[in-house]
């Protein structure tokens, strides 16, 4: 069929395409999926979108994934189960910790929040990108706090401990500020740069690590947290 020929030709062309930085990866994924579909490879189109959507969901990928799923006789519950299976397989146990809170000097442990979804952010006061991400992280917390989201911020530079509370109070941040240090953050949580943000499920598994710095990444993180909170309610 002409559509299959056109789809196959499009796939060959896409193999050689170098995507400019201003073209989103999700746009390329959707274009490739359409070409695969036209070439008669609906199952491949669905499978590739599924593998892309599980770690990095997006508002345009989601309807396309469910639409391809329906054509393969998969209802929404089946697609959801397949997404969850991929996420569960890729998840890693969150490393337990017990750190002092800047608020009251008491110890806060990750295990205190078993059965809760945790947004865990590593930062330090003089980190420009950290300060830029905080308004977006605060929006995420505001949106999901009623569903039980826990918001923790670990200061990774010990020599900046004295600056934490003045910044926290002046900016009106709502995360629970905890005392960490660079060596611990690096060796235990693999933090190589700041901010580094982890999204931990109610099963104490780390599912996502998304730096939120603009509206696009905000939407991705929002979808990730929504999925974890939905799973926590099951």
């Amino acid at each position: 069929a002409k559509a299959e020929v056109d789809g196959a030709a499009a796939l060959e062309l896409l193999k050689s395409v170098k995507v400019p930085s201003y073209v989103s990866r999700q746009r390329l994924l959707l274009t490739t999926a359409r070409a695969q579909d036209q070439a008669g490879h609906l199952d491949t189109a669905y499978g590739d979108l599924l593998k892309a959507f599980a770690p990095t969901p997006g508002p345009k990928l989601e309807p396309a994934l469910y639409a391809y799923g329906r054509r393969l006789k998969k209802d929404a519950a089946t697609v959801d189960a397949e997404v969850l299976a991929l996420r569960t397989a890729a998840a890693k146990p969150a490393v337990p910790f017990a750190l002092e809170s800047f608020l009251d000097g008491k110890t806060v442990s990750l295990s205190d929040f078993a059965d809760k979804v945790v947004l865990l952010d590593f930062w330090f006061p003089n980190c420009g990108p950290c300060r830029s991400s905080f308004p977006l992280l605060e929006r995420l917390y505001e949106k999901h706090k009623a569903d039980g989201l826990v918001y923790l911020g670990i200061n990774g530079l010990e020599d900046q401990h004295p600056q934490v509370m003045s910044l926290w109070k002046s900016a009106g941040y709502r995360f629970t500020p905890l005392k960490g240090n660079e060596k611990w953050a690096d060796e235990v949580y693999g933090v190589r740069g700041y901010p580094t943000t982890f999204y931990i499920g109610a099963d104490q598994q780390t599912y996502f690590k998304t730096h939120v710095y603009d509206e696009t990444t905000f939407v991705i993180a929002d979808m990730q947290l929504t999925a974890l909170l939905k799973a926590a309610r099951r």
Side-chain angles (χ1 to χ4, degrees):
K2 184 177 185 301
E4 291 185 3
V5 172
D6 290 345
L11 284 174
E12 283 301 314
L13 181 62
L14 285 167
K15 288 178 183 178
S16 62
V17 169
K18 292 184 178 180
V19 183
S21 59
Y22 55 82
V23 176
S24 76
R25 178 173 177 268
Q26 295 196 5
R27 181 177 171 185
L28 177 61
L29 286 166
L30 289 170
T31 301
T32 302
R34 284 194 293 270
Q36 289 168 332
D37 181 21
Q38 291 176 347
H41 304 304
L42 176 60
D43 54 343
T44 302
Y46 171 81
D48 286 354
L49 280 185
L50 181 70
K51 287 185 285 187
F53 181 84
T56 312
K60 292 182 179 180
L61 289 187
E62 187 173 48
L65 178 66
Y66 285 97
Y68 286 130
R70 286 192 298 272
R71 290 175 54 201
L72 290 168
K73 309 303 181 185
K74 299 175 185 283
D75 60 15
T78 300
V79 175
D80 287 343
E82 292 182 353
V83 171
L84 180 60
L86 286 181
R87 288 173 175 167
T88 300
K92 297 180 180 179
V95 182
F97 59 78
L99 301 172
E100 181 182 343
S101 171
F102 282 96
L103 298 179
D104 53 19
K106 294 181 179 179
T107 298
V108 174
S109 301
L110 181 61
S111 59
D112 294 339
F113 308 108
D115 301 325
K116 296 283 189 180
V117 175
V118 177
L119 192 167
L120 179 65
D121 188 58
F122 285 81
W123 72 292
F124 62 89
N126 289 336
C127 168
C130 302
R131 294 196 189 202
S132 296
S133 72
F134 277 139
L136 296 167
L137 295 179
E138 292 281 329
R139 279 173 55 195
L140 287 171
Y141 179 62
E142 177 64 27
K143 181 173 181 179
H144 296 291
K145 65 179 181 179
D147 295 320
L149 178 66
V150 174
Y151 182 21
L152 306 177
I154 299 177
N155 174 41
L157 297 190
E158 195 169 6
D159 62 356
Q160 294 196 20
H161 282 353
Q163 303 174 47
V164 169
M165 285 309 296
S166 58
L167 175 61
W168 187 87
K169 289 177 180 178
S170 64
Y173 295 144
R174 289 172 294 175
F175 60 84
T176 300
L178 304 177
K179 294 183 179 180
N181 62 69
E182 193 168 11
K183 185 174 185 293
W184 178 84
D186 181 3
E187 294 181 355
V188 177
Y189 262 83
V191 174
R192 303 289 186 265
Y194 293 83
T196 296
T197 311
F198 298 92
Y199 303 81
I200 300 170
D203 55 1
Q204 303 266 283
Q205 299 283 310
T206 300
Y207 284 85
F208 308 107
K209 189 173 78 170
T210 300
H211 174 204
V212 182
Y213 58 89
D214 60 10
E215 290 301 320
T216 298
T217 51
F218 174 88
V219 170
I220 291 170
D222 183 33
M223 295 181 75
Q224 291 168 335
L225 286 172
T226 298
L228 292 181
L229 289 162
K230 180 179 178 180
R233 293 192 293 270
R234 290 176 179 170

